Amino acid sequence: MANTARVMGLLVASLVWGMGSTQASADEFRHIDQLAVKIQRTTKRLISEVRHYRDTPAYGHLLSDSREIHRLATHIHDVSHYEGRLAHMESDLRQLDRRFAHLQSVFDRVERDAEFCGGGHIHGNTAHVRRLLDTIEDSIHHMRSDIAEIRRSMSFRRDDDCCHNSRPVYRPYYGAHGSRSNVYGGIGFTIGGGSSRIYIGF
């Protein structure tokens, strides 16, 4: 009976762990979705603010890159609704991160050139542009953390499954005359069927 209780406890713990991991992953995907929407909204505002740079040589570049950031965020938002496409989302996020880093460097260069090198004229105060960029950067970092957490959760589930699969399976014992009995006195139950059938005796 002690062995049965132990086995049943392990089965229940595994089920509860699996449910908890699934819920945690669902929460992370939902958070990624929210962050993608936040980036979409922020880049829309950023696109409208690029007009401050219309008299600089990089105006078209800034506008094009800001629109690309918005497109990538929109795509991540769409993909986040399908939890089985994590690798796709990771690829999109890497691309978003690279594009955003490039966009930041272009903004920095334009600001520097306009101030020190005569590289065109910037209209008005652009401190709010920096705040928008900081918001996007923060959201990207949070997305990366969420995806890393999902990967860790998936890894724990795989390790847990591996450990459970490596435990001994209790099978019925067949006596010398082919009579079915087991080492626990003939009482127990079977889970599954065919080659995947598991007999738990007590």
Side-chain angles (χ1 to χ4, degrees):
M1 290 297 286
N3 282 334
T4 301
R6 180 175 176 272
V7 171
M8 290 303 292
L10 290 171
L11 289 172
V12 170
S14 176
L15 180 61
V16 170
W17 164 249
M19 290 170 62
S21 298
T22 300
Q23 181 58 45
S25 294
D27 290 344
E28 301 297 339
F29 275 103
R30 190 163 35 254
H31 190 227
I32 290 169
D33 180 47
Q34 292 167 352
L35 290 167
V37 170
K38 184 176 182 180
I39 293 174
Q40 285 178 277
R41 291 174 180 158
T42 307
T43 49
K44 270 191 174 180
R45 291 172 58 198
L46 183 64
I47 289 166
S48 72
E49 295 298 330
V50 170
R51 70 181 184 278
H52 292 292
Y53 301 86
R54 63 185 177 273
D55 288 329
T56 67
Y59 171 68
H61 192 164
L62 291 170
L63 194 58
S64 174
D65 282 3
S66 297
R67 287 174 175 159
E68 179 63 9
I69 297 292
H70 183 269
R71 185 194 68 77
L72 287 167
T74 300
H75 192 244
I76 291 173
H77 165 65
D78 292 340
V79 172
S80 69
H81 296 159
Y82 303 94
E83 296 183 13
R85 301 180 71 183
L86 182 61
H88 189 161
M89 191 186 306
E90 285 176 305
S91 174
D92 287 343
L93 184 55
R94 282 193 297 272
Q95 189 177 358
L96 175 63
D97 202 7
R98 282 194 304 270
R99 288 282 189 160
F100 178 74
H102 173 72
L103 178 62
Q104 276 185 312
S105 70
V106 175
F107 270 110
D108 290 343
R109 188 181 72 239
V110 171
E111 294 275 356
R112 186 176 58 251
D113 288 352
E115 185 174 356
F116 300 111
C117 307
H121 176 69
I122 298 172
H123 299 272
N125 187 337
T126 58
H128 50 293
V129 172
R130 177 54 57 189
R131 286 194 295 271
L132 293 173
L133 291 171
D134 288 344
T135 297
I136 294 170
E137 183 175 35
D138 187 57
S139 296
I140 290 172
H141 287 164
H142 280 295
M143 276 186 180
R144 292 173 68 179
S145 296
D146 286 342
I147 286 181
E149 186 59 38
I150 292 169
R151 279 293 180 204
R152 274 194 295 274
S153 174
M154 290 172 67
S155 175
F156 287 148
R157 282 205 299 272
R158 279 197 300 270
D159 292 345
D160 193 55
D161 289 343
C162 175
C163 291
H164 285 309
N165 289 338
S166 67
R167 289 192 177 99
V169 176
Y170 297 99
R171 299 173 186 267
Y173 170 76
Y174 289 88
H177 302 291
S179 60
R180 182 170 174 170
S181 63
N182 65 68
V183 294
Y184 301 103
I187 302 172
F189 59 91
T190 303
I191 301 172
S195 63
S196 63
R197 183 174 62 231
I198 299 173
Y199 180 82
I200 299 176
F202 50 90

